[in-house]
Amino acid sequence: MNFTDLLKEGRLVVCCGSGGVGKTTTAAALALRGAMAGRKTVVITIDPAKRLANSLGLETLGDTPQRIDLGALDAELAAQAGDGEVWAMMLDVKKAFDDLIRRLGPDSGAVDRILNNRLYHLMSTALHGVLEYVAVEKLFELYTGGYYDLIVLDTPPTKNALDFLEAPQRVARFFDRGVVKWFLPSEKKGIFGRIFQPGLVVIGLISRILGEKFTTDLTEFFDSVSTIIDPLQQRGEMVEFILRDPQTAFIIVTGADPRRIEEAIYFHDKLGTLDQKATAFVVNRVCTGYDEEHAETVANMTPEEFAQLVQAMAPVADEEGVRRLVDQLGDYYGRLIKLADRDHRGIKVLSDRVGKRILRLVPLLREDVHDIHQLLKIGDYLVADPAPA
């Protein structure tokens, strides 16, 4: 499936990759293209760097979807989009987790006990996998809400790029009843039930190591969350179903340098172990279009060419200044040649491994992407088929 078909027919696009490769910009460009295809599109970022608002020409983004006024940005673009819409939001992890507890809690008393527990405050911000789990929970909420045709998710940079996919299972294991039961009162009756209660041994050990106050908080926490374990696990299973739906696409965003390419291939291989596959690879900020002829032209100017340049620049620089400029341009083009050669070799490695047809190359632009028109330019490269040479 090419990008044009994906944006017209897909339901969910997940942009993955390591930090600093342009996932947020790619996600914003895809969301804009989705709106231009006439779809109601929402892009959600969980990237702590919070660059999505800047890319869309906004100062800030909130934790609820905010509609982008395309007409105010470009009347022609708004006319082209027709009924299409772009919405954007920045995930507030703590608030999203609190809202989840409020929705799943059986009553206000149980909800208050969880939200006021000190261990919950720690867990909701520091437990490994919570960020990714809350992301998939918000994804579930938007996916099943019925309003949006297309969701574009910008995932956070992680050392293990599969944290997002594994988040439902990881959090479900944390709340597994096999763990929780150790901290709940035993249901066994009689003297043997009271004497041989395994949880007492665990609690006693934790109490001696971490103190009674922590143990009390821990016991109260698991006692409170025991009421929402089943809904949490059920939602995790539903999210896994969404992530494996044929209308879900995984886009791996990468740079062209060898280390980034290696990470992208690793993620591609790991996706296969989870019965997933990458729909496309976006190779971002590719240095291309330079060759040795440019450098040779600058570095080895003829005397006549140099004299013409000196004459042209006479109002702003003397001959010595022009010579320094020529030398600097020669060095600059030389570095670009080396960078382009490195990128070419990296792209060839990726192409040999996954095939050229699923590659999309976005060139190194002259300036950072920070408004809607530059996002449109990025989108032009993404929907190009086949990928530019």
Side-chain angles (χ1 to χ4, degrees), residues 2-79:
N2 58 38
F3 269 98
T4 301
D5 293 338
L6 171 63
L7 296 175
K8 289 181 179 179
E9 303 170 11
R11 284 293 317 280
L12 171 64
V13 176
V14 182
C15 294
C16 309
S18 56
V21 295
K23 291 191 309 297
T24 302
T25 301
T26 301
L30 288 173
L32 183 58
R33 279 282 169 175
M36 293 174 65
R39 309 191 76 193
K40 293 179 174 61
T41 306
V42 59
V43 55
I44 172 174
T45 182
I46 47 180
D47 182 355
K50 302 181 181 181
R51 289 185 294 268
L52 181 59
N54 185 247
S55 297
L56 291 169
L58 302 174
E59 292 185 3
T60 59
L61 272 180
D63 57 1
T64 57
Q66 174 181 341
R67 185 172 178 177
I68 309 301
D69 187 353
L70 296 178
L73 297 173
D74 189 309
E76 183 178 346
L77 172 62

Side-chain angles (χ1 to χ4, degrees), residues 147-204:
Y147 184 79
Y148 300 106
D149 304 316
L150 175 66
I151 301 170
V152 182
L153 181 64
D154 166 35
T155 61
T158 55
K159 183 177 181 180
N160 179 1
L162 297 176
D163 278 354
F164 172 77
L165 294 178
E166 297 172 344
Q169 305 98 307
R170 183 183 299 112
V171 176
R173 287 195 299 268
F174 181 82
F175 288 111
D176 185 83
R177 286 195 177 275
V179 175
V180 174
K181 70 180 182 182
W182 290 86
F183 301 94
L184 300 180
S186 174
E187 297 179 355
K188 295 180 180 180
K189 305 298 182 181
I191 187 171
F192 289 102
R194 290 192 295 272
I195 294 176
F196 298 103
Q197 183 177 337
L200 292 176
V201 178
V202 176
I203 294 173

Side-chain angles (χ1 to χ4, degrees), residues 76-331:
E76 183 178 346
L77 172 62
Q80 183 177 352
D83 294 333
E85 300 174 1
V86 182
W87 297 70
M89 66 169 291
M90 169 71 198
L91 186 67
D92 183 327
V93 177
K94 180 65 168 63
K95 184 178 183 301
F97 211 121
D98 290 351
D99 291 343
L100 173 63
I101 297 299
R102 292 188 180 96
R103 287 196 299 273
L104 298 184
D107 54 66
S108 59
V111 169
D112 289 341
R113 285 194 297 273
I114 297 175
L115 297 182
N116 293 326
N117 185 276
R118 292 196 307 170
L119 186 59
Y120 168 77
H121 283 281
L122 175 64
M123 185 212 70
S124 62
T125 55
L127 177 65
H128 179 59
V130 164
L131 171 62
E132 289 80 9
Y133 181 80
V134 173
V136 296
E137 165 59 31
K138 179 59 68 173
L139 165 64
F140 176 82
E141 178 185 330
L142 296 174
Y143 194 95
T144 58
Y147 184 79
Y148 300 106
D149 304 316
L150 175 66
I151 301 170
V152 182
L153 181 64
D154 166 35
T155 61
T158 55
K159 183 177 181 180
N160 179 1
L162 297 176
D163 278 354
F164 172 77
L165 294 178
E166 297 172 344
Q169 305 98 307
R170 183 183 299 112
V171 176
R173 287 195 299 268
F174 181 82
F175 288 111
D176 185 83
R177 286 195 177 275
V179 175
V180 174
K181 70 180 182 182
W182 290 86
F183 301 94
L184 300 180
S186 174
E187 297 179 355
K188 295 180 180 180
K189 305 298 182 181
I191 187 171
F192 289 102
R194 290 192 295 272
I195 294 176
F196 298 103
Q197 183 177 337
L200 292 176
V201 178
V202 176
I203 294 173
L205 180 60
I206 293 176
S207 180
R208 286 195 295 272
I209 297 175
L210 300 176
E212 292 185 4
K213 177 58 178 174
F214 178 84
T215 305
T216 300
D217 288 340
L218 186 65
T219 304
E220 291 177 351
F221 171 73
F222 279 108
D223 183 35
S224 300
V225 300
S226 64
T227 60
I228 63 170
I229 290 175
D230 291 337
L232 277 173
Q233 293 180 331
Q234 290 169 4
R235 292 171 81 89
E237 292 172 359
M238 288 186 284
V239 167
E240 286 191 64
F241 176 80
I242 292 173
L243 292 175
R244 284 161 175 76
D245 188 277
Q247 290 183 305
T248 295
F250 289 90
I251 309 300
I252 301 178
V253 185
T254 180
D257 62 276
R259 182 174 65 86
R260 301 293 195 189
I261 293 295
E262 183 179 346
E263 291 174 347
I265 292 175
Y266 168 78
F267 186 45
H268 170 266
D269 292 341
K270 295 297 286 185
L271 274 177
T273 67
L274 297 176
D275 298 323
Q276 296 281 12
K277 65 177 182 179
T279 303
F281 287 78
V282 173
V283 187
N284 212 359
R285 305 185 186 115
V286 177
C287 184
T288 183
Y290 302 97
D291 54 47
E292 293 185 5
E293 181 180 352
H294 292 85
E296 292 294 329
T297 299
V298 173
N300 301 311
M301 300 181 70
T302 66
E304 293 78 11
E305 291 171 335
F306 182 72
Q308 292 175 358
L309 183 60
V310 170
Q311 183 178 0
M313 297 190 64
V316 294
D318 57 19
E319 182 173 330
E320 183 179 352
V322 174
R323 172 56 66 189
R324 286 198 301 269
L325 174 62
V326 169
D327 291 342
Q328 290 170 0
L329 287 174
D331 292 341

